[in-house]
Amino acid sequence: MTHEEATQTTGPTGAQVDGVVERARRAAPAIARLTVGQRCAHLQRLREVVLARREEIIDRVRTETGKSRSDILMSEVFGVLDALAWLEDNAQDALADEKIPTPLTLMDKRSRVWYEPRGVVFVISPWNYPFFQALVPIASAYAAGNAVVYKPSEHTPLEGLVESLLEDAGFAPSHVQVVYGDGAVGSAVIDQRPDQVMFTGSTRTGRKILAQAAQHLIPCELELGGKDPMIVFEDVEIERTVAGAAFGALTATGQSCTSVERLYVHESIHDRFVDALVDHVSRLTQADTPAEDNDLGRMTTDFQVEVVAQHVRDAKDRGATFRTGGDWDGTDPVIPPMVVTDLPEDALMAVEETFGPVIPVFRFSDEDEVVARANDTVYGLTASVWSADLERAERVARALRCGGVSVNNVMATEATPALPFGGLGQSGYGRYKGVHGLRTFCNAKSVILDKDGDKIEANWYPYTGEKYRLFTKMMVANFTDSPLRLARFGVLGTKLEGLAKRSRRP
Ligand code: NAD
């Protein structure tokens, strides 16, 4: 698509793509001048608006994604409210000037970090959580003092909704602008050189965005795909752990970046566990209707149905057993949840992100082996470890190579707005949410504050042999462990200060 065509895809309520970063750049200084408290007051109004308009939001998201109403209520609307409330309560402290200890060699000076806005943040979001992935990055970037340009996925644009909520909350239109369209629109905005790109989406697109941003040296946060493991040891309470596995694998009809995509169960309980999982899954309700008691909905996009179908075909060809859902026709977007066993570990469903309601179950026999198998992936987003032995669970959690681990729970790190969120390897890098995440949207400016006066620093010119010898002695005194370290340093420092007064070569 050409840039012109991309501009034409802009929706009736969307900002024009041409010049969108420039408009944001003009708005940015005014946002930066607001105090964090003033920005948080806007976020508080936004929280009130979201809460008041929650059913309308859920209707819109359900129509466009086909997810179950309760999924949207809990993961998207509740999640957004939680994130906004966290920002209101914590942004002020997280973004406050930070006092840093100043070393002895820089006596009399004060060291600080100032968390300043980057300027214009371009947020690009995927189709699976279109409300959460809109408001949380927008609110975080704004709280840090940035102007925001936001591009939703072309598959779930929720056209006009974000602008309308922001307008009700009193945001100036230029402070957060929304552009609509596909990847070409995103690419056109990156070429306008925003100061940061916050991307959530597939690893494939993440690579392209990084390559394009590299041309302009634009920093990128990349929140990408995953193949998250869940590890179940033999001492767990089976009913609860089965319920956790079903929720972790099937929420959002399996279309979550942190879904359980590989379930490892200790061999001594494997068969019992799988029977209980099959029973649990068989009792779930599923329909593409607005009913509040649907557990699962439909898949959001046809192309994701095709990915799941490809993984299912491959698993069947490789001799896997489908304990549920084996009669799915390969095209119906209401994909039934599938519990799959006897899957070879190099099958597509075992290696690539399936992003659908499948639960491949593998058996394991010991701790080191399961850690090695769980880590044997190009991804590294989140994981969960289940055991009554908390010491063992923590040991395994530490050994897993990923961005977040829940112990005896699932998808719980991402449900905690104070925890940073992000991955390793092909799951991307950077962190958002929590204090780390808020500072992601800042330029951490290092500052030394010194006084005016007649003092000439000892390390400034002119260099002399005498200074050289005194500096050597001071360096040795400073970096040699001794009870007299401070006293020696003080004496030598005073002598050096005396020399420093002679600022010119005679
Ligand atoms: P996608 O990569 O196809 O698209 C994501 C966004 O990028 C869309 O808005 C799309 O229009 C835009 N885009 C595509 N090409 C672009 C380009 N060249 N330049 C700029 N923008 C471009 O991803 P998707 O299919 O929408 O989402 C599903 C993927 O997202 C899954 O892999 C899932 O794991 C991942 N995801 C990750 C997280 C996380 O936080 N780690 C969260 C949700 C989803």
Side-chain angles (χ1 to χ4, degrees), residues 334-500:
V334 183
I335 303 182
M338 301 178 198
V339 177
V340 183
T341 58
D342 307 314
L343 183 71
E345 282 198 66
D346 59 350
L348 290 177
M349 196 184 280
V351 177
E352 295 185 4
E353 187 181 48
T354 309
F355 225 55
V358 300
I359 319 180
V361 194
F362 306 92
R363 59 178 84 225
F364 74 91
S365 54
D366 80 63
E367 186 179 317
D368 288 347
E369 170 218 328
V370 77
V371 167
R373 285 165 69 191
N375 282 341
D376 186 16
T377 172
V378 294
Y379 293 109
L381 197 50
T382 71
S384 68
V385 184
W386 303 67
S387 173
D389 177 350
L390 293 182
E391 215 170 282
R392 167 168 68 179
E394 194 173 317
R395 190 168 61 235
V396 170
R398 286 182 192 279
L400 292 173
R401 202 185 149 277
C402 58
V405 190
S406 300
V407 169
N408 292 317
N409 214 306
V410 70
M411 300 177 91
T413 49
E414 52 271 43
T416 310
L419 283 175
F421 181 78
L424 300 177
Q426 297 199 13
S427 293
Y429 51 72
R431 293 291 181 270
Y432 91 115
K433 299 194 351 200
V435 173
H436 287 78
L438 197 48
R439 292 177 176 172
T440 288
F441 296 109
C442 296
N443 170 34
K445 186 182 273 178
S446 296
V447 181
I448 284 281
L449 299 168
D450 199 358
K451 292 178 285 297
D452 186 28
D454 57 1
K455 188 176 158 196
I456 308 293
E457 299 293 338
N459 62 312
W460 295 354
Y461 301 130
Y463 292 163
T464 64
E466 199 180 357
K467 268 193 188 180
Y468 186 93
R469 281 182 292 281
L470 273 173
F471 256 112
T472 305
K473 283 184 183 168
M474 192 179 73
M475 185 170 71
V476 171
N478 193 31
F479 297 109
T480 304
D481 296 331
S482 155
L484 298 176
R485 174 179 163 258
L486 274 182
R488 283 184 184 139
F489 183 90
V491 171
L492 292 161
T494 311
K495 283 190 187 169
L496 266 169
E497 299 254 302
L499 283 186

Side-chain angles (χ1 to χ4, degrees), residues 256-286:
S256 172
C257 54
T258 55
S259 292
V260 171
E261 291 246 345
R262 294 175 290 153
L263 174 56
Y264 296 96
V265 181
H266 192 267
E267 58 187 2
S268 63
I269 60 164
H270 175 276
D271 294 353
R272 239 177 345 128
F273 192 93
V274 171
D275 288 346
L277 184 61
V278 167
D279 180 56
H280 186 92
V281 163
S282 308
R283 292 167 198 270
L284 298 177
T285 56
Q286 182 174 27

Side-chain angles (χ1 to χ4, degrees), residues 125-127 151 154 199-202 205 223-225 257 353 421:
S125 293
W127 48 261
K151 193 195 89 58
E154 62 275 32
F199 173 72
T200 308
S202 64
T205 308
E223 301 290 351
L224 312 177
C257 54
E353 187 181 48
F421 181 78

Side-chain angles (χ1 to χ4, degrees), residues 43 46-47 50 79-89 135 139:
L43 297 183
L46 183 59
R47 173 167 56 80
V50 169
V80 162
L81 294 170
D82 218 11
L84 290 173
W86 185 86
L87 287 168
E88 288 167 42
D89 292 343
L135 258 65

Side-chain angles (χ1 to χ4, degrees), residues 122-129 133 151-156 181-190 197-206 208-209 212 222-226 255-258 261 301 303-304 353 355 379 381 421-423 427-428 432:
F122 180 31
V123 174
I124 307 176
S125 293
W127 48 261
N128 60 337
Y129 287 94
Q133 297 293 3
K151 193 195 89 58
S153 165
E154 62 275 32
H155 304 293
T156 53
D182 60 12
V185 169
S187 174
V189 176
I190 295 172
V197 174
M198 164 78 216
F199 173 72
T200 308
S202 64
T203 300
R204 189 188 59 251
T205 308
K208 281 192 215 161
I209 285 176
Q212 189 185 353
L222 299 177
E223 301 290 351
L224 312 177
Q255 303 165 109
S256 172
C257 54
T258 55
E261 291 246 345
T301 65
F303 57 81
Q304 202 58 45
E353 187 181 48
F355 225 55
Y379 293 109
L381 197 50
F421 181 78
S427 293
Y432 91 115

